[in-house]
Amino acid sequence: MDDLSFILNELGEERDDYFRAVAPPIMQTSNFVFAKVEDLRKAFEDEYSTWLYSRGLNPTVEILRKKLAALDEAEDCLVFNSGAAAIFAAVLANVKSGDHILSVQKPYTWAQRMFEVILPRFHVSVTYIDGTEIENFENGIQPNTAIIYLESPNSWFYQLQDLEAVAKLAKKHSIITICDNSHSTPLYQKPITMGIDLVLQSATKYIGGHSDTVAGVLSGSRSMIERIFNSEYMNIGSGIQPFNAWLLIRGLRTLPARLERITRTTLQIVDFLKNHPRVDQVIFPLDPSFPQYELAKKQMTGACGLLTFLIKAENCKTIETFCDSLKHILMAVSWGGYESLILPKCAGMKPETFNPNNSEHRSLRLYVGLEEADYIISDLNTGFEAIKHLS
Ligand SMILES: *Cc1c(COP(=O)(O)O)cnc(C)c1O
């Protein structure tokens, strides 16, 4: 593999092509000119290797593709206008009517929507399994299983799948494996090297890193990516736009530095929360208390800034008061940006259905951003102070 610094600082950048500018230009063009009919004919025959029209290839996007594929240690990748589009293309490209998808339970919302709302119209079925046990994959495979869909760690409770073992099993049955790697980024987990066929991530999160761009990446072998380019990618037409690609190239420059900082701060926050009397449990894949800690250490080299903690609370209102009183940690979906974010599970349910005996109801997902650890901890203390007299 190329050095990380080479990938982020140099790979794909041909400065002689653009006045030796340090930062690559945003090639904001929809189409490209041809001098000879013969050249145009060649472009029509193979759009995967020619500048013809920016719904296909674009030079700014090309720089980004080279870097992202190298980070995943994949032969090639495509960059989409959202992570959801990357999921859609990867799945659609690998099923036909009558097929079955074996998926981990509670995959990302829009993967689940595709499985349950769109695919049944085309006679593609799905079953969900607890992916923490390899036996569940063995038992779940049907004669018509075309895809095993993975997300490791899963959002919110971070259940892992043994990627190497699942890839091996899938190969034996000629099943395509797709893994959502948004949680760990290609810096901290490389599913392709463990035998997974297609790996995707929401670049909206850590790759963009500044909460200003929505994008997605899909990596795999050259033959698979070329096939997806020529059909789903061109047809769905949701390839990333040059300006957004440029923002992601910019984000990549600081990715290792941001992740290092976030990793360090997150460990301090985990430690603070584990020792707080109002906290029942802290769930973080690289904490020794995590049920799959050994597997996490084996296949991930970092866990970035997401953690989930359970507050001791009898009432939904207590959790609401905690969140409402925070001054600096913002309440919002998503993660991976510069700013810390909190998301209480109870926001997704009617307050009257809140059950304090169901620990999931009392869970809050915290994303640790780039702020100072003390700044985040003092804000969490503001929240705990506000619920001091509430049960
Ligand atoms: C955010 C997210 C996605 C979807 O990405 P978008 O860029 O929002 O479309 C997919 N998977 C996971 C795990 C995510 O967190």
Side-chain angles (χ1 to χ4, degrees), residues 81-87 107-111 149 151 153-155 180-183 200-205 213-216 306 334-335 365:
N81 232 355
S82 70
I87 295 172
Y108 179 68
T109 320
W110 293 98
Y149 189 86
E151 186 181 325
N154 205 311
S155 355
D180 186 331
N181 195 36
S182 302
H183 175 281
L200 63 93
Q201 61 171 320
S202 166
T204 312
K205 313 289 161 56
T213 319
V214 175
L306 278 183
S334 197
W335 37 271
R365 193 182 72 185

Side-chain angles (χ1 to χ4, degrees), residues 59 185 220 244 261 265 303 344 366 375 389:
T185 84
N244 285 354
R261 157 86 173 201
T265 313
L366 177 66
Y375 189 72
H389 303 296

Side-chain angles (χ1 to χ4, degrees), residues 2 125 159 204 212 215 220 325 360 379:
D2 286 324
S125 61
Q159 298 93 336
T204 312
D212 52 16
S325 60
E360 201 171 305
D379 205 31

Side-chain angles (χ1 to χ4, degrees), residues 205-333:
K205 313 289 161 56
Y206 293 108
I207 305 288
H210 295 76
S211 303
D212 52 16
T213 319
V214 175
V217 190
L218 176 64
S219 296
S221 69
R222 176 160 291 268
S223 64
M224 263 199 198
I225 294 296
E226 180 169 5
R227 178 167 64 82
I228 296 172
F229 173 86
N230 283 318
S231 49
E232 288 75 17
Y233 183 84
M234 289 300 293
N235 236 194
I236 300 169
S238 64
I240 193 165
Q241 294 296 302
F243 177 62
N244 285 354
W246 184 85
L247 285 172
L248 294 190
I249 293 169
R250 193 185 207 258
L252 279 177
R253 310 285 195 202
T254 57
L255 181 64
R258 285 185 286 113
L259 289 188
E260 263 177 52
R261 157 86 173 201
I262 287 168
T263 298
R264 204 168 346 112
T265 313
T266 304
L267 293 177
Q268 288 172 263
I269 307 295
V270 167
D271 192 50
F272 165 77
L273 287 170
K274 279 175 80 172
N275 289 303
H276 198 283
R278 281 309 287 267
V279 175
D280 243 358
Q281 194 190 348
V282 179
I283 307 166
F284 181 67
L286 283 180
D287 187 82
S289 69
F290 185 70
Q292 293 175 289
Y293 177 60
E294 290 303 323
L295 180 60
K297 275 202 304 191
K298 183 177 156 229
Q299 59 187 25
M300 298 155 60
T301 52
C304 310
L306 278 183
L307 64 95
T308 297
F309 64 105
L310 310 182
I311 285 189
K312 290 179 189 159
E314 295 292 321
N315 304 297
C316 189
K317 191 77 201 145
T318 304
I319 292 172
E320 289 183 26
T321 303
F322 177 89
C323 293
D324 295 353
S325 60
L326 298 175
K327 297 278 181 289
H328 304 297
I329 300 168
L330 307 176
M331 200 168 3
V333 297

